[in-house]
Short mmCIF file of all heavy atoms in Angstrom, two decimals:
data_model
loop_
_atom_site.label_atom_id
_atom_site.label_comp_id
_atom_site.label_asym_id
_atom_site.label_seq_id
_atom_site.Cartn_x
_atom_site.Cartn_y
_atom_site.Cartn_z
N VAL A 1 -21.85 -6.40 -10.45
CA VAL A 1 -20.64 -5.61 -10.64
C VAL A 1 -20.65 -4.38 -9.71
O VAL A 1 -19.63 -4.03 -9.14
CB VAL A 1 -20.49 -5.19 -12.11
CG1 VAL A 1 -19.38 -4.17 -12.28
CG2 VAL A 1 -20.22 -6.42 -12.98
N TRP A 2 -21.83 -3.76 -9.55
CA TRP A 2 -21.90 -2.59 -8.67
C TRP A 2 -21.65 -2.97 -7.23
O TRP A 2 -20.93 -2.26 -6.49
CB TRP A 2 -23.26 -1.89 -8.81
CG TRP A 2 -23.26 -0.57 -8.11
CD1 TRP A 2 -23.68 -0.29 -6.85
CD2 TRP A 2 -22.79 0.68 -8.68
NE1 TRP A 2 -23.53 1.06 -6.57
CE2 TRP A 2 -22.98 1.66 -7.66
CE3 TRP A 2 -22.26 1.04 -9.90
CZ2 TRP A 2 -22.63 3.00 -7.87
CZ3 TRP A 2 -21.92 2.37 -10.11
CH2 TRP A 2 -22.09 3.34 -9.09
N LEU A 3 -22.21 -4.09 -6.77
CA LEU A 3 -21.99 -4.55 -5.41
C LEU A 3 -20.51 -4.84 -5.19
O LEU A 3 -19.93 -4.46 -4.14
CB LEU A 3 -22.84 -5.80 -5.13
CG LEU A 3 -22.70 -6.43 -3.74
CD1 LEU A 3 -23.07 -5.42 -2.66
CD2 LEU A 3 -23.58 -7.67 -3.64
N GLU A 4 -19.88 -5.47 -6.15
CA GLU A 4 -18.44 -5.78 -6.03
C GLU A 4 -17.63 -4.49 -5.96
O GLU A 4 -16.67 -4.37 -5.19
CB GLU A 4 -17.99 -6.64 -7.23
CG GLU A 4 -16.60 -7.19 -7.11
CD GLU A 4 -16.54 -8.33 -6.07
OE1 GLU A 4 -17.56 -8.78 -5.56
OE2 GLU A 4 -15.39 -8.75 -5.78
N HIS A 5 -18.02 -3.50 -6.78
CA HIS A 5 -17.34 -2.19 -6.78
C HIS A 5 -17.45 -1.51 -5.39
O HIS A 5 -16.47 -0.99 -4.88
CB HIS A 5 -17.96 -1.30 -7.86
CG HIS A 5 -17.68 0.16 -7.71
ND1 HIS A 5 -16.45 0.72 -7.99
CD2 HIS A 5 -18.45 1.19 -7.30
CE1 HIS A 5 -16.49 2.02 -7.77
NE2 HIS A 5 -17.70 2.34 -7.33
N GLU A 6 -18.65 -1.56 -4.82
CA GLU A 6 -18.85 -0.92 -3.51
C GLU A 6 -18.06 -1.65 -2.43
O GLU A 6 -17.48 -1.01 -1.52
CB GLU A 6 -20.34 -0.93 -3.17
CG GLU A 6 -21.20 -0.02 -4.04
CD GLU A 6 -21.07 1.44 -3.66
OE1 GLU A 6 -20.17 1.81 -2.87
OE2 GLU A 6 -21.87 2.25 -4.15
N LEU A 7 -18.01 -2.98 -2.49
CA LEU A 7 -17.22 -3.75 -1.54
C LEU A 7 -15.72 -3.45 -1.65
O LEU A 7 -15.03 -3.33 -0.65
CB LEU A 7 -17.49 -5.23 -1.70
CG LEU A 7 -18.84 -5.72 -1.22
CD1 LEU A 7 -19.10 -7.15 -1.73
CD2 LEU A 7 -18.94 -5.69 0.29
N ASP A 8 -15.25 -3.36 -2.88
CA ASP A 8 -13.84 -3.04 -3.09
C ASP A 8 -13.50 -1.64 -2.57
O ASP A 8 -12.43 -1.42 -1.98
CB ASP A 8 -13.48 -3.12 -4.59
CG ASP A 8 -13.45 -4.55 -5.11
OD1 ASP A 8 -13.38 -5.49 -4.28
OD2 ASP A 8 -13.47 -4.72 -6.34
N THR A 9 -14.43 -0.70 -2.75
CA THR A 9 -14.23 0.65 -2.25
C THR A 9 -14.18 0.66 -0.73
O THR A 9 -13.30 1.31 -0.12
CB THR A 9 -15.36 1.59 -2.74
OG1 THR A 9 -15.37 1.62 -4.18
CG2 THR A 9 -15.19 3.01 -2.21
N PHE A 10 -15.10 -0.06 -0.09
CA PHE A 10 -15.11 -0.17 1.36
C PHE A 10 -13.81 -0.80 1.84
O PHE A 10 -13.18 -0.32 2.80
CB PHE A 10 -16.30 -1.05 1.81
CG PHE A 10 -16.16 -1.55 3.21
CD1 PHE A 10 -16.45 -0.75 4.29
CD2 PHE A 10 -15.72 -2.85 3.45
CE1 PHE A 10 -16.30 -1.22 5.60
CE2 PHE A 10 -15.58 -3.34 4.74
CZ PHE A 10 -15.86 -2.52 5.81
N GLU A 11 -13.38 -1.87 1.19
CA GLU A 11 -12.19 -2.56 1.62
C GLU A 11 -10.94 -1.68 1.51
O GLU A 11 -10.04 -1.72 2.35
CB GLU A 11 -12.01 -3.85 0.82
CG GLU A 11 -10.91 -4.77 1.33
CD GLU A 11 -10.86 -6.08 0.60
OE1 GLU A 11 -11.88 -6.49 0.03
OE2 GLU A 11 -9.77 -6.72 0.64
N ALA A 12 -10.86 -0.89 0.43
CA ALA A 12 -9.71 -0.01 0.24
C ALA A 12 -9.66 1.05 1.36
O ALA A 12 -8.57 1.34 1.87
CB ALA A 12 -9.80 0.67 -1.13
N ARG A 13 -10.81 1.58 1.72
CA ARG A 13 -10.84 2.57 2.81
C ARG A 13 -10.48 1.93 4.14
O ARG A 13 -9.74 2.51 4.94
CB ARG A 13 -12.22 3.21 2.86
CG ARG A 13 -12.52 4.11 1.68
CD ARG A 13 -13.98 4.54 1.65
NE ARG A 13 -14.29 5.43 0.55
CZ ARG A 13 -15.49 5.73 0.13
NH1 ARG A 13 -16.56 5.22 0.78
NH2 ARG A 13 -15.70 6.54 -0.88
N LEU A 14 -11.02 0.73 4.36
CA LEU A 14 -10.70 0.01 5.59
C LEU A 14 -9.20 -0.28 5.68
O LEU A 14 -8.59 -0.12 6.74
CB LEU A 14 -11.50 -1.31 5.64
CG LEU A 14 -11.26 -2.22 6.84
CD1 LEU A 14 -11.80 -1.56 8.13
CD2 LEU A 14 -11.90 -3.58 6.62
N ALA A 15 -8.62 -0.73 4.58
CA ALA A 15 -7.18 -1.04 4.55
C ALA A 15 -6.35 0.19 4.92
O ALA A 15 -5.36 0.10 5.65
CB ALA A 15 -6.79 -1.59 3.19
N SER A 16 -6.75 1.34 4.38
CA SER A 16 -6.01 2.58 4.65
C SER A 16 -6.07 2.93 6.13
O SER A 16 -5.03 3.28 6.74
CB SER A 16 -6.59 3.71 3.81
OG SER A 16 -5.92 4.92 4.05
N ARG A 17 -7.27 2.85 6.71
CA ARG A 17 -7.42 3.16 8.15
C ARG A 17 -6.66 2.18 9.03
O ARG A 17 -5.98 2.57 9.98
CB ARG A 17 -8.89 3.15 8.53
CG ARG A 17 -9.72 4.27 7.91
CD ARG A 17 -11.04 4.45 8.63
NE ARG A 17 -11.83 3.23 8.61
CZ ARG A 17 -12.74 2.92 7.68
NH1 ARG A 17 -12.93 3.75 6.66
NH2 ARG A 17 -13.44 1.81 7.75
N GLN A 18 -6.76 0.88 8.69
CA GLN A 18 -6.11 -0.13 9.53
C GLN A 18 -4.58 -0.08 9.41
O GLN A 18 -3.88 -0.31 10.38
CB GLN A 18 -6.63 -1.52 9.16
CG GLN A 18 -8.10 -1.76 9.53
CD GLN A 18 -8.38 -1.65 11.00
OE1 GLN A 18 -7.55 -2.09 11.83
NE2 GLN A 18 -9.50 -1.09 11.36
N LYS A 19 -4.10 0.20 8.21
CA LYS A 19 -2.65 0.28 8.02
C LYS A 19 -2.04 1.40 8.88
O LYS A 19 -0.93 1.26 9.41
CB LYS A 19 -2.32 0.51 6.56
CG LYS A 19 -0.83 0.40 6.25
CD LYS A 19 -0.55 0.50 4.76
CE LYS A 19 0.94 0.31 4.48
NZ LYS A 19 1.25 0.37 3.02
N ALA A 20 -2.80 2.49 9.03
CA ALA A 20 -2.31 3.58 9.87
C ALA A 20 -2.15 3.16 11.33
O ALA A 20 -1.41 3.77 12.10
CB ALA A 20 -3.29 4.76 9.79
N GLU A 21 -2.85 2.07 11.72
CA GLU A 21 -2.77 1.55 13.08
C GLU A 21 -1.90 0.29 13.15
O GLU A 21 -1.89 -0.39 14.18
CB GLU A 21 -4.19 1.26 13.60
CG GLU A 21 -5.05 2.52 13.67
CD GLU A 21 -6.47 2.20 14.14
OE1 GLU A 21 -6.70 1.06 14.56
OE2 GLU A 21 -7.31 3.10 14.06
N GLY A 22 -1.25 -0.04 12.04
CA GLY A 22 -0.32 -1.17 12.06
C GLY A 22 -0.95 -2.53 11.72
O GLY A 22 -0.35 -3.55 12.01
N TRP A 23 -2.16 -2.51 11.08
CA TRP A 23 -2.81 -3.76 10.73
C TRP A 23 -2.83 -3.93 9.21
O TRP A 23 -2.89 -2.96 8.45
CB TRP A 23 -4.26 -3.77 11.23
CG TRP A 23 -4.41 -3.74 12.71
CD1 TRP A 23 -4.60 -2.64 13.50
CD2 TRP A 23 -4.31 -4.83 13.62
NE1 TRP A 23 -4.67 -2.98 14.81
CE2 TRP A 23 -4.49 -4.34 14.92
CE3 TRP A 23 -4.09 -6.21 13.43
CZ2 TRP A 23 -4.48 -5.15 16.04
CZ3 TRP A 23 -4.07 -7.02 14.55
CH2 TRP A 23 -4.26 -6.50 15.84
N PHE A 24 -2.76 -5.20 8.77
CA PHE A 24 -2.79 -5.52 7.36
C PHE A 24 -3.96 -6.48 7.08
O PHE A 24 -4.25 -7.35 7.91
CB PHE A 24 -1.46 -6.19 6.92
CG PHE A 24 -0.28 -5.30 7.07
CD1 PHE A 24 0.44 -5.28 8.28
CD2 PHE A 24 0.11 -4.46 6.06
CE1 PHE A 24 1.54 -4.45 8.44
CE2 PHE A 24 1.22 -3.61 6.20
CZ PHE A 24 1.93 -3.60 7.38
N LEU A 25 -4.60 -6.31 5.95
CA LEU A 25 -5.78 -7.09 5.60
C LEU A 25 -5.43 -8.33 4.79
O LEU A 25 -4.55 -8.27 3.93
CB LEU A 25 -6.77 -6.25 4.78
CG LEU A 25 -7.77 -5.35 5.54
CD1 LEU A 25 -7.05 -4.31 6.40
CD2 LEU A 25 -8.72 -4.69 4.56
N THR A 26 -6.17 -9.40 5.08
CA THR A 26 -6.09 -10.56 4.21
C THR A 26 -7.04 -10.36 3.02
O THR A 26 -7.78 -9.36 2.96
CB THR A 26 -6.56 -11.86 4.93
OG1 THR A 26 -7.97 -11.76 5.22
CG2 THR A 26 -5.78 -12.07 6.22
N ASP A 27 -7.06 -11.28 2.08
CA ASP A 27 -8.07 -11.29 1.06
C ASP A 27 -9.46 -11.42 1.71
O ASP A 27 -9.60 -12.02 2.78
CB ASP A 27 -7.89 -12.47 0.09
CG ASP A 27 -6.61 -12.33 -0.72
OD1 ASP A 27 -6.21 -11.18 -1.03
OD2 ASP A 27 -6.01 -13.36 -1.06
N ARG A 28 -10.46 -10.89 1.04
CA ARG A 28 -11.86 -11.04 1.48
C ARG A 28 -12.34 -12.43 1.06
O ARG A 28 -12.08 -12.86 -0.07
CB ARG A 28 -12.69 -9.96 0.79
CG ARG A 28 -14.12 -9.86 1.26
CD ARG A 28 -14.77 -8.63 0.66
NE ARG A 28 -15.08 -8.77 -0.76
CZ ARG A 28 -14.74 -7.88 -1.69
NH1 ARG A 28 -14.02 -6.83 -1.41
NH2 ARG A 28 -15.08 -8.08 -2.96
N PHE A 29 -13.03 -13.11 1.94
CA PHE A 29 -13.58 -14.43 1.57
C PHE A 29 -14.95 -14.61 2.23
O PHE A 29 -15.28 -13.91 3.18
CB PHE A 29 -12.62 -15.58 1.94
CG PHE A 29 -12.33 -15.75 3.39
CD1 PHE A 29 -12.92 -16.78 4.12
CD2 PHE A 29 -11.45 -14.90 4.06
CE1 PHE A 29 -12.64 -16.94 5.47
CE2 PHE A 29 -11.17 -15.07 5.43
CZ PHE A 29 -11.76 -16.09 6.13
N SER A 30 -15.72 -15.58 1.74
CA SER A 30 -17.13 -15.66 2.10
C SER A 30 -17.54 -17.08 2.48
O SER A 30 -16.87 -18.06 2.08
CB SER A 30 -18.01 -15.13 0.98
OG SER A 30 -17.79 -13.78 0.76
N CYS A 31 -18.66 -17.18 3.17
CA CYS A 31 -19.26 -18.48 3.46
C CYS A 31 -19.69 -19.17 2.16
O CYS A 31 -20.08 -18.51 1.21
CB CYS A 31 -20.50 -18.30 4.33
SG CYS A 31 -20.21 -17.46 5.89
N GLY A 32 -19.56 -20.49 2.15
CA GLY A 32 -19.97 -21.24 0.96
C GLY A 32 -18.85 -21.52 0.00
O GLY A 32 -19.03 -22.15 -1.02
N TYR A 33 -17.65 -21.06 0.31
CA TYR A 33 -16.50 -21.33 -0.54
C TYR A 33 -15.49 -22.15 0.25
O TYR A 33 -15.27 -21.93 1.44
CB TYR A 33 -15.85 -20.03 -1.05
CG TYR A 33 -14.95 -20.32 -2.25
CD1 TYR A 33 -15.48 -20.36 -3.54
CD2 TYR A 33 -13.60 -20.53 -2.08
CE1 TYR A 33 -14.66 -20.62 -4.63
CE2 TYR A 33 -12.78 -20.81 -3.17
CZ TYR A 33 -13.32 -20.84 -4.42
OH TYR A 33 -12.51 -21.10 -5.50
N GLY A 34 -14.87 -23.13 -0.43
CA GLY A 34 -13.98 -24.02 0.28
C GLY A 34 -14.79 -24.85 1.27
O GLY A 34 -15.89 -25.25 0.97
N ASP A 35 -14.26 -25.03 2.45
CA ASP A 35 -14.99 -25.81 3.46
C ASP A 35 -15.62 -24.91 4.54
O ASP A 35 -15.99 -25.39 5.61
CB ASP A 35 -14.08 -26.86 4.10
CG ASP A 35 -12.85 -26.25 4.80
OD1 ASP A 35 -12.72 -25.01 4.74
OD2 ASP A 35 -12.06 -27.01 5.37
N LEU A 36 -15.79 -23.63 4.21
CA LEU A 36 -16.50 -22.73 5.14
C LEU A 36 -17.97 -22.82 4.79
O LEU A 36 -18.39 -22.41 3.70
CB LEU A 36 -16.00 -21.30 4.97
CG LEU A 36 -16.46 -20.31 6.05
CD1 LEU A 36 -15.91 -20.70 7.42
CD2 LEU A 36 -16.00 -18.89 5.70
#
């Protein structure tokens, strides 16, 4: 849960910085899910 919390915090900050430059984030996804 703590790792997920830290990742969500990182992603929120990243989204804010990137949006200021005109970029939008997709959902986060990882190796080992689906056919990746």
